[in-house]
Amino acid sequence: MASTLHSPHIPVREEWLARGAEPPLEPALPIVDPHHHLWDRAGDRYLFDDLLRDTRGGHDIRGTVFVTCRSMFRADGPEAMRPVGETEFVNGVAAQSASGLYGPLRACQGIVGFADLTLGERVAPVLEAHLRAAPERFRGIRNNTAFHPDPGIQTNPIKPREGLLADPTFLRGAGLLPRYGLTLDVWAYHTQLAEVEALARALPDLTVILDHLGGPIGIGPFAGRREEVFGVWRAAMRRLAALPNLRVKLGGLGMALSGFRFHEAATPPGSVELAAAWAPYIETCIALFGAHRCMFESNFSVDKGMFGYSACWNAFKRIAAAASDDEKAALFAGTAIETYRLPPHLGRPRAATQEPLA
């Protein structure tokens, strides 16, 4: 049975997206997409076949990282253990992809799952269960932490409670992750970046991956204040960049949260439009953190309501056009491979690597 969760994101319109199809730029550049979802919700489905269709647009998508979205949690058993069902499901998709029957893409080579870190030290058995479910692919944890008190600002089906990132039990649970070789993905809005900084400072041995450019808000009380928000966001990101255990995912601006309204036009945006809108945020992050601590992400299918997959990666390539070959290799694949401990061959040009048999 499909989940009863309802997505707060912009609906996907395939016919509308088809009007903006464009050929890939630099089609031989290896890409590892480090942030996408798979789900089956009421009226909203994005599964392996859908991911395959999006990734077959001509870009060299070598592998992906799945990030938890409350998909296929177990219906029964202890509450804390139910998220392990998602890892079991995604590991099955990864095995399906690794068969080679569906093409060269190696989907879900990394899996970021959910475990309630407010369990503190009691989260250890949950982490161990995830690792047993996907020993070769389970790489990290993400909790539902993006919070703003304005009722109109919500990007998750279930709104988290305020102050979760600073909760002492959450910090104790997160503090266990390095012991298991796991990372922590954090989705937080720009108004929460001081909490992210405090968490990363408190846990210097933990690799913290900041999702979606740190969530600059462009709606609700922040609508029409883009320049002001940008200044506040940039100052917070500069402080975060001083912490060596921080990584940043460059993407996520296709959510309504961003305040961009490309989805309201008669035709979908092309990569030139997207690159112009996104460049200030992405270029700032690369300048502050360096290419080897940044990774481009699709955030599909969440961002798919606003633009197509090929246009998204073309926009990233336009923004990175002046980067060196080494910087491009990091931004499009290398940082993700290193951060999530993925197979190194995913970042090598096809002529320079031999694909594994499984």
Side-chain angles (χ1 to χ4, degrees):
M1 180 182 295
S3 168
T4 56
L5 291 174
H6 295 281
S7 173
H9 303 298
I10 299 166
V12 173
R13 296 167 292 158
E14 294 286 359
E15 292 183 2
W16 178 78
L17 289 169
R19 300 175 196 167
E22 57 180 74
L25 302 173
E26 297 184 73
L29 179 63
I31 294 172
V32 172
D33 184 349
H35 199 109
H36 73 86
H37 308 290
L38 298 170
W39 57 45
D40 189 358
R41 298 173 178 168
D44 185 7
R45 173 177 290 190
Y46 193 75
L47 297 172
F48 183 42
D49 287 347
D50 303 293
L51 178 67
L52 283 176
R53 280 191 291 272
D54 283 334
T55 56
R56 287 174 174 169
H59 294 284
D60 190 9
I61 311 296
R62 308 300 303 281
T64 73
V65 175
F66 168 89
V67 178
T68 179
C69 53
R70 302 188 66 85
S71 181
M72 307 297 178
F73 280 20
R74 295 172 181 170
D76 304 303
E79 187 72 27
M81 288 292 182
R82 292 184 183 183
V84 179
E86 182 176 58
T87 295
E88 294 169 327
F89 156 63
V90 176
N91 198 48
V93 173
Q96 186 179 4
S97 180
S99 73
L101 293 175
Y102 305 90
L105 173 70
R106 296 298 180 259
C108 309
Q109 282 285 296
I111 299 173
V112 176
F114 178 88
D116 183 1
L117 294 178
T118 63
L119 292 170
E121 294 82 358
R122 293 180 295 122
V123 78
V126 184
L127 302 179
E128 292 163 4
H130 278 295
L131 287 164
R132 286 194 300 271
E136 297 180 358
R137 300 185 178 99
F138 195 75
R139 294 294 184 260
I141 293 294
R142 184 172 82 157
N143 278 199
N144 188 5
T145 55
F147 175 86
H148 192 278
D150 189 288
I153 298 176
Q154 182 171 341
T155 54
N156 296 106
I158 298 175
K159 194 163 187 170
R161 63 179 174 83
E162 186 173 5
L164 189 61
L165 289 167
D167 186 298
T169 56
F170 180 93
L171 291 173
R172 290 201 299 273
L176 292 185
L177 297 180
R179 181 187 306 176
Y180 294 95
L182 299 175
T183 61
L184 178 67
D185 266 67
V186 174
W187 173 212
Y189 305 140
H190 81 270
T191 51
Q192 297 175 277
L193 293 182
E195 296 175 45
V196 178
E197 180 185 358
L199 181 149
R201 287 188 184 279
L203 301 171
D205 294 331
L206 174 64
T207 297
V208 178
I209 301 120
L210 182 63
D211 295 345
H212 315 328
L213 290 158
I217 306 174
I219 61 173
F222 302 98
R225 299 166 56 191
R226 189 170 298 279
E227 289 187 10
E228 178 187 346
V229 168
F230 184 85
V232 173
W233 167 84
R234 180 175 53 194
M237 295 299 282
R238 183 177 292 112
R239 292 190 294 271
L240 289 175
L243 304 178
N245 57 328
L246 254 294
R247 305 290 181 271
V248 182
K249 288 181 178 176
L250 310 177
L253 293 177
M255 290 181 279
L257 176 86
S258 69
F260 294 119
R261 304 174 74 171
F262 292 115
H263 58 293
E264 296 179 357
T267 56
S271 59
V272 172
E273 290 178 87
L274 294 174
W278 299 348
Y281 302 93
I282 290 174
E283 290 174 350
T284 294
C285 285
I286 296 172
L288 289 174
F289 288 84
H292 290 269
R293 294 169 63 196
C294 294
M295 59 189 103
F296 288 121
E297 53 151 341
S298 73
N299 193 34
F300 262 45
S301 67
V302 172
D303 283 20
K304 191 175 179 178
M306 199 175 284
F307 47 78
Y309 197 83
S310 187
C312 172
W313 288 101
N314 274 350
F316 293 151
K317 290 175 178 180
R318 290 184 186 280
I319 293 169
S324 68
D325 289 345
D326 178 69
E327 289 170 330
K328 286 183 182 180
L331 291 165
F332 287 93
T335 301
I337 289 170
E338 179 183 5
T339 301
Y340 291 113
R341 295 184 289 114
L342 305 180
H345 75 266
L346 294 176
R348 299 177 191 141
R350 292 197 183 277
T353 187
Q354 182 176 351
E355 293 291 347
L357 295 178

mmCIF file of all heavy atoms in Angstrom, residues 190 193 197 228-242 284 288:
data_model
loop_
_atom_site.group_PDB
_atom_site.id
_atom_site.type_symbol
_atom_site.label_atom_id
_atom_site.label_comp_id
_atom_site.label_asym_id
_atom_site.label_seq_id
_atom_site.Cartn_x
_atom_site.Cartn_y
_atom_site.Cartn_z
ATOM 1 N N HIS A 190 18.464 28.560 6.243
ATOM 2 C CA HIS A 190 19.542 29.520 6.549
ATOM 3 C C HIS A 190 19.387 30.110 7.952
ATOM 4 O O HIS A 190 20.375 30.518 8.561
ATOM 5 C CB HIS A 190 19.582 30.630 5.487
ATOM 6 C CG HIS A 190 18.582 31.733 5.678
ATOM 7 N ND1 HIS A 190 17.305 31.718 5.134
ATOM 8 C CD2 HIS A 190 18.672 32.915 6.361
ATOM 9 C CE1 HIS A 190 16.673 32.826 5.460
ATOM 10 N NE2 HIS A 190 17.472 33.571 6.198
ATOM 11 N N LEU A 193 21.526 27.919 10.530
ATOM 12 C CA LEU A 193 22.923 27.591 10.264
ATOM 13 C C LEU A 193 23.825 27.778 11.484
ATOM 14 O O LEU A 193 24.869 27.128 11.587
ATOM 15 C CB LEU A 193 23.439 28.401 9.066
ATOM 16 C CG LEU A 193 22.775 28.024 7.726
ATOM 17 C CD1 LEU A 193 23.379 28.833 6.587
ATOM 18 C CD2 LEU A 193 22.893 26.520 7.451
ATOM 19 N N GLU A 197 26.466 25.010 12.774
ATOM 20 C CA GLU A 197 27.839 25.330 13.165
ATOM 21 C C GLU A 197 28.161 24.785 14.556
ATOM 22 O O GLU A 197 29.218 24.176 14.772
ATOM 23 C CB GLU A 197 28.041 26.843 13.141
ATOM 24 C CG GLU A 197 29.446 27.273 13.534
ATOM 25 C CD GLU A 197 29.604 28.776 13.622
ATOM 26 O OE1 GLU A 197 28.628 29.510 13.342
ATOM 27 O OE2 GLU A 197 30.711 29.229 13.979
ATOM 28 N N GLU A 228 18.892 40.683 1.013
ATOM 29 C CA GLU A 228 19.099 40.686 2.464
ATOM 30 C C GLU A 228 19.371 39.273 2.970
ATOM 31 O O GLU A 228 20.306 39.045 3.765
ATOM 32 C CB GLU A 228 17.863 41.266 3.150
ATOM 33 C CG GLU A 228 17.942 41.270 4.667
ATOM 34 C CD GLU A 228 16.632 41.705 5.295
ATOM 35 O OE1 GLU A 228 15.764 42.253 4.580
ATOM 36 O OE2 GLU A 228 16.470 41.478 6.517
ATOM 37 N N VAL A 229 18.557 38.314 2.527
ATOM 38 C CA VAL A 229 18.745 36.926 2.934
ATOM 39 C C VAL A 229 20.095 36.411 2.458
ATOM 40 O O VAL A 229 20.812 35.708 3.196
ATOM 41 C CB VAL A 229 17.601 36.039 2.387
ATOM 42 C CG1 VAL A 229 17.935 34.554 2.557
ATOM 43 C CG2 VAL A 229 16.291 36.371 3.079
ATOM 44 N N PHE A 230 20.471 36.779 1.236
ATOM 45 C CA PHE A 230 21.754 36.324 0.690
ATOM 46 C C PHE A 230 22.910 36.768 1.576
ATOM 47 O O PHE A 230 23.839 35.995 1.849
ATOM 48 C CB PHE A 230 21.944 36.852 -0.736
ATOM 49 C CG PHE A 230 23.186 36.347 -1.403
ATOM 50 C CD1 PHE A 230 23.192 35.129 -2.068
ATOM 51 C CD2 PHE A 230 24.363 37.078 -1.365
ATOM 52 C CE1 PHE A 230 24.352 34.657 -2.678
ATOM 53 C CE2 PHE A 230 25.522 36.619 -1.971
ATOM 54 C CZ PHE A 230 25.508 35.399 -2.626
ATOM 55 N N GLY A 231 22.868 37.989 2.048
ATOM 56 C CA GLY A 231 23.935 38.489 2.914
ATOM 57 C C GLY A 231 24.026 37.726 4.224
ATOM 58 O O GLY A 231 25.123 37.389 4.679
ATOM 59 N N VAL A 232 22.879 37.463 4.832
ATOM 60 C CA VAL A 232 22.851 36.702 6.086
ATOM 61 C C VAL A 232 23.342 35.281 5.845
ATOM 62 O O VAL A 232 24.146 34.728 6.614
ATOM 63 C CB VAL A 232 21.427 36.696 6.674
ATOM 64 C CG1 VAL A 232 21.337 35.775 7.884
ATOM 65 C CG2 VAL A 232 21.011 38.119 7.050
ATOM 66 N N TRP A 233 22.838 34.666 4.776
ATOM 67 C CA TRP A 233 23.239 33.299 4.424
ATOM 68 C C TRP A 233 24.742 33.217 4.162
ATOM 69 O O TRP A 233 25.420 32.319 4.663
ATOM 70 C CB TRP A 233 22.437 32.856 3.203
ATOM 71 C CG TRP A 233 22.937 31.615 2.545
ATOM 72 C CD1 TRP A 233 22.654 30.327 2.897
ATOM 73 C CD2 TRP A 233 23.815 31.525 1.413
ATOM 74 N NE1 TRP A 233 23.300 29.444 2.055
ATOM 75 C CE2 TRP A 233 24.019 30.155 1.153
ATOM 76 C CE3 TRP A 233 24.446 32.487 0.610
ATOM 77 C CZ2 TRP A 233 24.836 29.719 0.087
ATOM 78 C CZ3 TRP A 233 25.263 32.057 -0.436
ATOM 79 C CH2 TRP A 233 25.446 30.691 -0.679
ATOM 80 N N ARG A 234 25.266 34.149 3.380
ATOM 81 C CA ARG A 234 26.698 34.116 3.025
ATOM 82 C C ARG A 234 27.574 34.244 4.273
ATOM 83 O O ARG A 234 28.581 33.543 4.401
ATOM 84 C CB ARG A 234 27.020 35.234 2.038
ATOM 85 C CG ARG A 234 28.480 35.293 1.608
ATOM 86 C CD ARG A 234 28.677 36.343 0.544
ATOM 87 N NE ARG A 234 28.144 37.636 0.982
ATOM 88 C CZ ARG A 234 27.943 38.672 0.147
ATOM 89 N NH1 ARG A 234 28.199 38.563 -1.146
ATOM 90 N NH2 ARG A 234 27.461 39.806 0.629
ATOM 91 N N ALA A 235 27.196 35.101 5.196
ATOM 92 C CA ALA A 235 27.979 35.261 6.425
ATOM 93 C C ALA A 235 27.987 33.963 7.234
ATOM 94 O O ALA A 235 29.026 33.562 7.781
ATOM 95 C CB ALA A 235 27.408 36.407 7.255
ATOM 96 N N ALA A 236 26.834 33.283 7.299
ATOM 97 C CA ALA A 236 26.763 32.021 8.033
ATOM 98 C C ALA A 236 27.579 30.939 7.332
ATOM 99 O O ALA A 236 28.272 30.143 7.987
ATOM 100 C CB ALA A 236 25.312 31.584 8.179
ATOM 101 N N MET A 237 27.521 30.904 6.000
ATOM 102 C CA MET A 237 28.288 29.906 5.256
ATOM 103 C C MET A 237 29.787 30.147 5.399
ATOM 104 O O MET A 237 30.576 29.193 5.430
ATOM 105 C CB MET A 237 27.873 29.918 3.788
ATOM 106 C CG MET A 237 26.442 29.489 3.542
ATOM 107 S SD MET A 237 26.061 27.792 4.057
ATOM 108 C CE MET A 237 26.786 26.872 2.705
ATOM 109 N N ARG A 238 30.181 31.381 5.500
ATOM 110 C CA ARG A 238 31.608 31.682 5.710
ATOM 111 C C ARG A 238 32.090 31.101 7.034
ATOM 112 O O ARG A 238 33.193 30.557 7.125
ATOM 113 C CB ARG A 238 31.840 33.193 5.658
ATOM 114 C CG ARG A 238 33.317 33.583 5.805
ATOM 115 C CD ARG A 238 33.539 35.073 5.683
ATOM 116 N NE ARG A 238 33.284 35.540 4.326
ATOM 117 C CZ ARG A 238 32.284 36.322 3.959
ATOM 118 N NH1 ARG A 238 31.413 36.749 4.871
ATOM 119 N NH2 ARG A 238 32.138 36.698 2.708
ATOM 120 N N ARG A 239 31.267 31.190 8.064
ATOM 121 C CA ARG A 239 31.645 30.604 9.357
ATOM 122 C C ARG A 239 31.709 29.081 9.264
ATOM 123 O O ARG A 239 32.616 28.450 9.826
ATOM 124 C CB ARG A 239 30.655 31.038 10.435
ATOM 125 C CG ARG A 239 30.724 32.530 10.777
ATOM 126 C CD ARG A 239 29.917 32.863 12.007
ATOM 127 N NE ARG A 239 28.496 32.662 11.806
ATOM 128 C CZ ARG A 239 27.661 33.582 11.331
ATOM 129 N NH1 ARG A 239 28.121 34.788 10.994
ATOM 130 N NH2 ARG A 239 26.369 33.327 11.195
ATOM 131 N N LEU A 240 30.775 28.490 8.544
ATOM 132 C CA LEU A 240 30.777 27.040 8.390
ATOM 133 C C LEU A 240 31.996 26.567 7.608
ATOM 134 O O LEU A 240 32.538 25.486 7.870
ATOM 135 C CB LEU A 240 29.498 26.584 7.685
ATOM 136 C CG LEU A 240 28.202 26.689 8.484
ATOM 137 C CD1 LEU A 240 27.019 26.312 7.607
ATOM 138 C CD2 LEU A 240 28.243 25.797 9.713
ATOM 139 N N ALA A 241 32.426 27.349 6.644
ATOM 140 C CA ALA A 241 33.556 26.956 5.806
ATOM 141 C C ALA A 241 34.846 26.826 6.605
ATOM 142 O O ALA A 241 35.783 26.150 6.177
ATOM 143 C CB ALA A 241 33.740 27.957 4.670
ATOM 144 N N ALA A 242 34.907 27.450 7.778
ATOM 145 C CA ALA A 242 36.096 27.356 8.623
ATOM 146 C C ALA A 242 36.202 26.009 9.317
ATOM 147 O O ALA A 242 37.241 25.704 9.922
ATOM 148 C CB ALA A 242 36.081 28.478 9.657
ATOM 149 N N THR A 284 29.456 31.168 -4.538
ATOM 150 C CA THR A 284 29.845 31.545 -3.175
ATOM 151 C C THR A 284 30.318 30.322 -2.401
ATOM 152 O O THR A 284 31.357 30.353 -1.724
ATOM 153 C CB THR A 284 28.667 32.216 -2.443
ATOM 154 O OG1 THR A 284 28.364 33.458 -3.091
ATOM 155 C CG2 THR A 284 29.013 32.491 -0.982
ATOM 156 N N LEU A 288 34.083 29.570 -0.943
ATOM 157 C CA LEU A 288 34.301 29.461 0.498
ATOM 158 C C LEU A 288 34.850 28.089 0.902
ATOM 159 O O LEU A 288 35.774 27.988 1.716
ATOM 160 C CB LEU A 288 32.991 29.715 1.242
ATOM 161 C CG LEU A 288 32.459 31.152 1.240
ATOM 162 C CD1 LEU A 288 31.080 31.202 1.883
ATOM 163 C CD2 LEU A 288 33.416 32.081 1.971
#
